[in-house]
Amino acid sequence: MSDLGYNTHTLILIDEAAVNDFNAINATGEEFYRFEVMLVDPGKRRKNFVRSLWYSRILYCLNQLKAGQSLLLTDTDNVFSKYESLDQFYNSDYDAIFALELKFPTYIFDKQEFVLCGGMTFLKSTNAAIQMWERLLEVCDGGTKRCDDQVELNKLLADDMIWDSQAALLNKTKDGLVQNGFVGKSKTVPDFSAKVWDRDFAWRGPLDTDICPSNSNWVSMPMPPPQYAVRMLEKGNLGEEKLARVSIWEIFCGKNGINQNIKMGNSTEDRLVKAVKKYLEKV
């Protein structure tokens, strides 16, 4: 992010190990990371920890909005390819801007032919956005302070939004994924207006995609590696896999809007295997 020109991003640390690690890095004086701490209850099962994390993420965003802070929420393994000024989002007419997901949750995809991604969202600090995120926090809580935010976000918006998506639904890939963005308004929250980015601009899809994003791409959210690529990587923890995924994606599809995919071989599997081999040569 810093290399691309962003200088106001903040890491949210969710466990003591991460806090200790980043404090140690900052203490060296060689690098500095701005972070906030929001410890998440690990629970007794990994599923509980992840769902507590998603609840905490909604709560953090809501508190920022109430403090007058607009924000871009992004997962740490999202891959930014170039600099885009956030002013264009601040100065837009939209309280929230979302990225397109693949097909989960499937029952909502079947209903409206698209779903939205929970890990890539711009939120403007407006009364309308605060009201919508208060509703999302309420349905996510459910007495447990745990939820799948991808499910709850899409349920909430599918019920509440009137999307002007007719034209976008006419342009799909062969597997049924909408490509163009669209806008919409809330039926119940006064003045809440939202936009959905074009898929190419905020790309979500398989790591071994047949076609990489174009030069217009800003951020990519590749899925985990397929099994044939996983078998090539040394077994590590989830964090190591995510770091590997980012590096492999940059080799596979290029940086700064450069589509290197077309230069790397014949089949998609062949291209990804070559990208994984290049990654392994560097680590």
Side-chain angles (χ1 to χ4, degrees), residues 89-155:
F89 311 135
Y90 289 123
N91 297 328
S92 74
D93 295 328
Y94 306 106
D95 302 285
I97 310 179
F98 303 99
L100 288 161
E101 179 53 85
L102 295 180
K103 296 185 178 182
F104 180 77
T106 54
Y107 70 94
I108 294 179
F109 181 88
D110 292 341
K111 173 183 176 181
Q112 62 183 18
E113 302 180 61
F114 65 88
V115 284
L116 306 176
C117 179
M120 183 64 200
T121 305
F122 176 79
L123 296 169
K124 188 187 293 187
S125 179
T126 63
N127 288 334
I130 290 171
Q131 288 181 58
M132 188 64 76
W133 244 244
E134 284 178 334
R135 291 188 181 186
L136 181 58
L137 185 71
E138 182 179 0
V139 295
C140 184
D141 185 345
T144 65
K145 293 183 168 46
R146 296 189 184 109
C147 75
D148 186 329
D149 65 342
Q150 177 81 14
V151 172
E152 298 302 339
L153 173 67
N154 277 282
K155 282 171 56 179

Side-chain angles (χ1 to χ4, degrees), residues 62-74:
L62 178 58
N63 288 338
Q64 293 295 304
L65 295 175
K66 288 183 175 180
Q69 180 65 58
S70 301
L71 70 155
L72 178 72
L73 167 67
T74 173

